[in-house]
Amino acid sequence: MLEIKQLCKTFGNNTVLKNVNFAVEEGEVAVLLGPSGSGKTTLLRCIAGIEKHDSGNLIFKERSIGLVFQEHYLWDHLRVLDNIMLAPQLVQKREKSEVYRDTLDILLKVRLQDKINHYPHQLSSGQKQRVALARALIMQPKLLLLDEITSSLDPQMIGEVLAIVSNLAQEGMTMLIITHNLSFAQKIGTSFAYMEGGMIIERDGKELFLHPRDERTQRFLAEKIEPG
């Protein structure tokens, strides 16, 4: 689905991505771990085309990408329905009736069908994040990028979002997820990569949690995972 070769990105004198090599297979749920400032968000923004990389290659099987940020960025003056329907009509020039039908289906999927006429200020943080997910899904992405979407949520709301993302994974959605929530990561991920200093340090399946090879990964996980 996606192959990244020797990707580099600098901001002024700060090199944020250093020859990043990475790939995401179709149907994979890849989780990107690492400390704050390691370049994870910049990598996602380059993949999504929000940031332009300086060198290297991004090779896509499909260029249809959805991105959900840590902040939901909803239009406060628009209802849930209109927040979701706006982009496919403006950007993809799809018919309003078709978008409306798809929006109803997606609202069922994210369990917000009863909030269709609500405004963002009437929603909980978890509900707002689910609207942001719905807004990404309405664009029919082949690759979904999720950047710390549970970081500002309480445990119950994290569970709500996790359930939605788990269902998407079961349906075969290809995803690349950034999260500091290791419990969320282990439940949803099929592969994992640890990133530090703008580089992919190591990559593995579930074994990355059990037997990390690099001492930097070992140190990060030891600090994050509570004993017992």
Side-chain angles (χ1 to χ4, degrees):
M1 183 64 72
L2 168 68
E3 186 174 6
I4 300 170
K5 294 183 176 180
Q6 299 292 306
L7 201 73
C8 294
K9 174 65 181 177
T10 60
F11 293 102
N13 295 323
N14 184 21
T15 301
V16 181
L17 299 177
K18 304 174 183 177
N19 296 315
V20 172
N21 294 287
F22 194 72
V24 180
E25 300 294 335
E26 188 170 354
E28 185 176 8
V29 181
V31 178
L32 197 55
L33 305 171
S36 298
S38 59
K40 304 185 301 297
T41 293
T42 299
L43 179 59
L44 255 64
R45 290 172 68 88
C46 287
I47 294 170
I50 297 173
E51 296 285 355
K52 182 173 175 56
H53 56 283
D54 298 321
S55 61
N57 293 298
L58 290 164
I59 304 167
F60 299 92
K61 178 182 177 182
E62 299 277 357
R63 197 59 178 88
S64 176
I65 297 172
L67 173 59
V68 183
F69 297 95
Q70 178 177 345
E71 301 295 333
H72 45 75
Y73 296 118
L74 301 180
W75 295 102
D76 291 332
H77 65 291
L78 296 180
R79 298 174 301 165
V80 166
L81 175 67
D82 302 313
N83 262 286
I84 298 170
M85 289 186 61
L86 183 63
Q89 293 179 87
L90 289 179
V91 178
Q92 297 176 330
K93 308 301 181 185
R94 288 159 59 189
E95 290 292 331
K96 184 176 181 179
S97 59
E98 174 203 341
V99 175
Y100 180 74
R101 289 193 302 270
D102 288 351
T103 298
L104 295 182
D105 290 340
I106 289 171
L107 283 171
L108 281 170
K109 184 176 292 187
V110 300
R111 304 171 190 175
L112 286 175
Q113 63 273 19
D114 59 332
K115 306 297 183 184
I116 189 169
N117 290 313
H118 284 56
Y119 289 87
H121 74 269
Q122 297 173 302
L123 305 177
S124 69
S125 296
Q127 290 168 342
K128 290 176 184 176
Q129 198 59 282
R130 282 186 278 157
V131 175
L133 266 171
R135 187 176 55 187
L137 293 173
I138 195 67
M139 302 298 284
Q140 302 172 336
K142 299 299 183 183
L143 172 63
L144 188 59
L145 309 175
L146 306 178
D147 187 4
E148 292 288 3
I149 62 170
T150 64
S151 64
S152 61
L153 305 180
D154 64 33
Q156 179 181 346
M157 293 177 182
I158 289 173
E160 293 174 359
V161 174
L162 174 62
I164 305 301
V165 176
S166 296
N167 288 339
L168 291 174
Q170 290 170 11
E171 293 171 4
M173 174 65 75
T174 307
M175 290 182 273
L176 176 56
I177 300 173
I178 293 174
T179 183
H180 280 93
N181 186 319
L182 295 192
S183 176
F184 178 84
Q186 288 177 285
K187 287 176 183 175
I188 194 63
T190 59
S191 70
F192 304 87
Y194 177 71
M195 191 170 183
E196 186 176 310
M199 299 180 290
I200 302 293
I201 304 302
E202 67 174 296
R203 184 163 189 199
D204 206 339
K206 300 282 188 181
E207 281 293 300
L208 185 137
F209 286 93
L210 301 173
H211 306 291
R213 298 182 299 275
D214 193 277
E215 64 178 16
R216 289 164 290 187
T217 313
Q218 295 168 5
R219 183 173 60 250
F220 175 82
L221 292 175
E223 292 171 354
K224 292 289 183 180
I225 299 176
E226 295 180 2

